[in-house]
């Protein structure tokens, strides 16, 4: 995708200064051609929250927790983002963001930004398991340019999703598109949007993705070192069609946080990656109809 300005949205500004985001084809979901995927929705909400903090002049804060509720299917209609600063203090800022379409809210996010205070001197338990690592540099060279995600499972790292239609533990490595055309993708926007992929790495099995996530909760100990983000499945529990998945978030410097997502069984509209082809221009082609 090098040299192509790929984005999930373009921006339209009214004479009064009000902003509307218009979804591009890259934001379309595999769940339905007129739906937006969670990566785009989460990215738009994160951008709104980050801009709200910047407007306060709080460059001393960094994102620490980000929760998204995907309570209605976002469509390809125009998107309006609104924010509210719920609480601002010396060491924190809590921002709520809402994405609305046709005057109706479809998704919301709560973002907590904290001021770093330095580490304490006491010893605390930490897991001994080695941090997940990106694919080898000769396979996935460091880049800020968006690319087809790399996936690892029982089959090893590759960009061919059809090779990973199995019950193995999943990892992804992605450098995502810009949220809005013409704007630089920030590390927080990158990790907040790609965090929706936790549903992919925890719910993708031998028949495809048979669960659709209803939320995303991202917790960060630090900001990413860039806009390339990895996810590794850590845990998954399911009962009566309700699944809770946990994924580790990592970059080239190591693990930086965790994503938890809740999902519902959606067997009538399975995303079968065994029948999906990804092109270098960011487009995806499905060779069958959902639910067929």
């Amino acid at each position: 995708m090098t040299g192509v300005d790929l984005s999930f949205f373009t921006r339209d500004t009214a004479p009064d200064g009000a902003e509307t985001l218009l979804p591009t084809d890259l934001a379309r979901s595999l769940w339905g051609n007129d739906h937006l995927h969670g990566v785009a929705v989460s990215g738009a909400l994160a951008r709104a929250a980050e801009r709200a903090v910047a407007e306060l002049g709080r460059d001393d804060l960094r994102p620490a927790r980000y929760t998204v509720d995907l309570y209605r299917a976002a469509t390809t209609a125009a998107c309006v983002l609104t924010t509210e600063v719920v609480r601002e203090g010396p060491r924190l800022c809590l921002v709520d963001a809402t994405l609305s379409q046709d005057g109706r809210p479809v998704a919301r996010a709560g973002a907590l930004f904290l001021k770093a205070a330095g580490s304490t001197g006491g010893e605390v338990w930490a897991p001994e398991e080695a941090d997940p690592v990106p694919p080898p540099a000769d396979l996935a060279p460091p880049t800020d340019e968006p690319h087809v995600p790399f996936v690892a499972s029982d089959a090893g790292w590759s960009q061919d999703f059809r090779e990973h239609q199995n019950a193995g533990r999943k990892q992804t490595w992605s450098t995502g598109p810009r949220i809005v055309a013409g704007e630089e993708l920030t590390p927080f926007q990158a990790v907040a949007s790609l965090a929706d992929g936790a549903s992919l790495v925890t719910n993708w099995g031998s028949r495809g993705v048979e669960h659709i996530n209803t939320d995303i909760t991202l917790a960060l100990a630090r900001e990413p070192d860039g806009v390339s983000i990895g996810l590794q499945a850590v845990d998954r529990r399911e009962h009566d069609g309700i699944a809770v998945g946990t994924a580790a978030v990592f970059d080239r410097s190591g693990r930086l946080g965790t994503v938890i997502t809740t999902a519902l069984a959606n067997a009538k509209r399975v995303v079968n990656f065994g029948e999906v082809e990804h092109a270098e221009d960011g487009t995806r082609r499905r060779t069958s109809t959902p639910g067929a």
Side-chain angles (χ1 to χ4, degrees):
M1 303 186 195
T2 302
V4 181
D5 186 9
L6 297 175
S7 64
F8 293 132
F9 301 93
T10 59
R11 184 173 60 178
D12 183 48
T13 304
D16 62 359
E19 178 186 82
T20 301
L21 297 185
L22 306 177
T24 68
D25 285 343
L26 202 61
R28 293 181 187 271
S29 171
L30 288 172
W31 293 110
N33 196 46
D34 61 340
H35 291 172
L36 303 186
H37 52 67
V39 178
V41 172
S42 182
L45 289 165
R47 171 182 176 270
E50 188 175 49
R51 285 159 64 97
V53 174
E55 289 172 0
L56 296 172
R58 296 300 303 272
D59 57 3
D60 59 328
L61 302 175
R62 66 191 191 196
R65 194 262 299 144
Y66 176 69
T67 299
V68 179
D69 290 308
L70 304 165
Y71 50 86
R72 286 195 178 98
T75 70
T76 52
C79 302
V80 175
L81 280 299
T82 56
T83 58
E84 177 187 0
V85 177
V86 179
R87 169 79 168 95
E88 182 190 2
R91 299 182 62 184
L92 65 81
C93 184
L94 180 63
V95 179
D96 282 353
T98 302
L99 187 152
S100 299
Q101 295 181 316
D102 298 322
R104 184 175 70 166
V106 299
R108 66 181 182 184
L112 176 65
F113 295 78
L114 298 178
K115 183 175 182 177
S119 299
T120 58
E123 295 183 0
V124 183
W125 175 89
E128 297 180 358
E129 182 181 8
D131 286 347
V133 296
D138 58 347
L139 178 65
T143 180
D144 291 339
E145 295 289 337
H147 58 77
V148 175
F150 288 88
V151 182
S153 65
D154 293 344
W157 287 105
S158 80
Q159 291 176 293
D160 188 344
F161 277 44
R162 293 167 294 185
E163 295 178 358
H164 305 285
Q165 190 93 328
N166 55 53
R169 184 183 187 183
K170 303 294 194 297
Q171 294 187 76
T172 58
W173 179 254
S174 306
T175 306
R178 303 172 190 267
I179 305 304
V180 176
E183 295 183 4
E184 182 180 357
L185 181 68
T186 69
F188 175 56
Q189 292 173 17
V191 71
S193 60
L194 293 171
D196 183 71
S199 184
L200 174 68
V201 298
T202 60
N203 291 313
W204 185 7
S206 60
R207 291 182 40 170
V209 181
E210 299 181 278
H211 293 71
I212 185 167
N213 62 310
T214 60
D215 57 31
I216 310 159
T217 296
L218 168 68
L220 296 171
R222 62 171 174 85
E223 287 194 86
D225 61 10
V227 295
S228 295
I229 302 297
L231 298 171
Q232 181 188 63
V234 173
D235 188 40
R236 185 179 190 275
R237 306 293 163 182
E238 180 181 353
H239 187 74
D240 289 343
I242 298 175
V244 177
T246 305
V249 185
F250 62 98
D251 56 19
R252 294 193 180 275
S253 299
R255 184 170 174 177
L256 62 142
T258 299
V259 186
I260 299 175
T261 184
T262 310
L264 289 170
N266 202 37
K268 292 183 178 181
R269 296 178 67 86
V270 175
V271 173
N272 183 353
F273 283 108
E275 300 174 344
V276 175
E277 296 177 349
H278 289 74
E280 274 299 317
D281 64 358
T283 60
R284 298 169 298 179
R285 186 175 72 88
R286 187 164 190 162
T287 57
S288 68
T289 302

